Amino acid sequence: MAESCNSLQGFQVLSNVHDGMGGVCYGVLQHLADEYGSKDSITFATTPSHLAPITLQARTLMQANILQSYTELIKLSSVFIPLNLRKHCWDFQASCVTFPNLVLLENNAYIASSVLAAFIDTASLVYRSRVSPMSLSCVVDFLTPARRNVVGGSLALPLGLSSNQGMLEWLRQGYKPQLVSLSAGCNFTVEPISELLIIRGISPSRLTRADTKLPPGVHYNSASQLYSDFLQECRIPPSERMVTSVSDPLKLSPPFPSIISGSFTEDGFANSFGNVAAAGIIKSAPSEAGLHQSGGMTPLLHDLLTVAEKLDISKVPALLEEGFDKDGWSGVVEDLRTITLNYSLNNVDIDSSDDS
């Protein structure tokens, strides 16, 4: 397939990281690095929220798999995006994130995966849209300053715009897309550096109302143009931001589960005239996804390093059977420490734990 491509830009990789698939993904990325070293790769690393290991040994093994996968995949990926609906990727009892208008069953794998699928489908539009797509190399360069390649993901679904409002009017009234972080332990609003925002489902006719007053010479042709100007005018950080948009909404017809709650029309706009979707079936919805580079990635990496330092490899027989020993695990910890150090404020050194 690669040989038949006229202009191969790179690779999009999706994998679980809590089990053996993390190792498979490592092998795939290693192969791609060897065979296509000049091409970029974006890795979406998922940890299902329904995981509930019963025994201490099973829980420790999953934690070890996550730590290994994160460490190795971060090193091999141009951009690494951790995805999990729980607030911690290794704490299987942590609470899940909440969306203003979504009903999520955290132990239902089908429903949880639908949210992650909605995010990936929307976020990837930035480089796969037929309308003015960014090249994969530009996406990577924009999101990875100073060799920081761990990127947070966020999603707003539905967008929240009312059916009788123009987008500009909606924004001027103090509303905005309520982006929810899907990267466990990452707060993309902390020390934002750069971000890509992708809006879908807002047609040119919904940008402004007929009676909206605009400055002379100002005319909006797309949601991305309008939203970018609004954010810049309001001086909302970060200063390094790109906004792109497509008119096609996110398709929500079956088999996508019915998870949107509240009063919405069948095309996913907040109800204003009583035209509620029949039988609660919403066929599509405007949405927004974000890819964020910020200091908010630091807590996740620090926490992972702390867990790695305290993990006793002798209590994980499955890893010992694979040839891992204390020295081998120390190598994983050191690699993770190097990655974390690059995200530490002012590159302050990270002391080793006494338990490492």
Side-chain angles (χ1 to χ4, degrees):
M1 291 178 64
E3 291 177 357
S4 66
C5 290
N6 293 326
S7 181
L8 177 64
Q9 295 188 41
F11 304 91
Q12 175 180 293
V13 182
L14 170 65
S15 177
N16 278 335
V17 293
H18 69 284
D19 56 14
M21 287 306 300
V24 173
C25 186
Y26 167 78
V28 169
L29 286 173
Q30 185 66 66
H31 174 75
L32 295 179
D34 293 340
E35 297 295 324
Y36 308 95
S38 63
K39 305 302 180 181
D40 291 304
S41 61
I42 292 183
T43 301
F44 295 95
T46 63
T47 310
S49 59
H50 66 277
L51 296 177
I54 299 175
T55 65
L56 175 61
Q57 183 173 319
R59 184 165 61 251
T60 304
L61 177 59
M62 280 192 182
Q63 289 178 335
N65 284 331
I66 291 171
L67 292 167
Q68 282 183 273
S69 296
Y70 269 56
T71 303
E72 298 299 338
L73 302 187
I74 287 173
K75 291 191 298 181
L76 288 171
S77 304
S78 304
V79 171
F80 178 85
I81 306 170
L83 296 176
N84 189 353
L85 292 188
R86 292 199 184 277
K87 295 181 180 179
H88 294 285
C89 63
W90 69 95
D91 183 354
F92 308 114
Q93 302 301 318
S95 59
C96 284
V97 298
T98 58
F99 286 78
N101 294 295
L102 296 186
V103 178
L104 304 180
L105 302 176
E106 59 188 49
N107 294 321
N108 187 308
Y110 189 69
I111 289 179
S113 64
S114 71
V115 177
L116 299 183
F119 163 75
I120 294 173
D121 186 72
T122 302
S124 60
L125 286 172
V126 68
Y127 51 80
R128 66 182 182 84
S129 169
R130 295 181 183 275
V131 182
S132 302
M134 291 178 62
S135 68
L136 200 60
S137 60
C138 287
V139 171
V140 170
D141 290 343
F142 188 77
L143 291 172
T144 57
R147 297 180 294 110
R148 294 182 172 187
N149 68 326
V150 182
V151 172
S154 66
L155 177 69
L157 175 68
L159 203 59
L161 182 65
S162 175
S163 57
N164 69 334
Q165 286 180 311
M167 184 176 181
L168 182 58
E169 176 191 13
W170 182 65
L171 293 170
R172 285 177 174 177
Q173 290 178 353
Y175 298 100
K176 63 179 181 179
Q178 298 186 46
L179 288 168
V180 176
S181 176
L182 298 182
S183 296
C186 300
N187 184 349
F188 59 84
T189 64
V190 175
E191 299 175 12
I193 298 171
S194 63
E195 67 180 9
L196 287 172
L197 300 178
I198 305 91
I199 298 176
R200 67 188 307 175
I202 305 295
S203 64
S205 63
R206 287 189 178 272
L207 298 179
T208 60
R209 299 201 324 178
D211 57 352
T212 301
K213 294 183 178 180
L214 296 174
V218 175
H219 178 71
Y220 295 115
N221 297 311
S222 66
S224 58
Q225 180 189 5
L226 187 156
Y227 194 38
S228 180
D229 287 354
F230 177 83
L231 293 173
Q232 184 175 2
E233 181 181 338
C234 296
R235 298 183 179 179
I236 297 176
S239 57
E240 294 296 323
R241 175 190 291 114
M242 290 187 182
V243 183
T244 187
S245 63
V246 296
S247 297
D248 294 337
L250 179 68
K251 301 298 184 182
L252 300 178
S253 54
F256 197 95
S258 180
I259 58 176
I260 295 182
S261 65
S263 181
F264 289 88
T265 60
E266 68 175 19
D267 55 356
F269 288 89
N271 173 49
S272 55
F273 299 109
N275 300 322
V276 182
I281 297 176
I282 299 176
K283 297 180 180 179
S284 63
S287 62
E288 179 182 357
L291 297 172
H292 311 269
Q293 180 59 257
S294 75
M297 307 299 111
T298 308
L300 167 66
L301 296 172
H302 272 288
D303 288 348
L304 287 172
L305 178 59
T306 299
V307 175
E309 289 174 334
K310 293 181 177 180
L311 191 143
D312 186 353
I313 193 69
S314 64
K315 295 182 179 179
V316 191
L319 290 181
L320 296 176
E321 292 173 2
E322 294 177 7
F324 252 97
D325 55 19
K326 188 173 182 179
D327 290 338
W329 187 254
S330 295
V332 173
V333 173
E334 285 304 314
D335 287 344
L336 185 55
R337 181 178 289 111
T338 300
I339 294 169
T340 305
L341 179 61
N342 193 38
Y343 278 79
S344 300
L345 296 178
N346 300 319
N347 280 347
V348 176
D349 194 14
I350 301 171
D351 295 329
S352 299
S353 168
D354 293 336
D355 298 324
S356 63

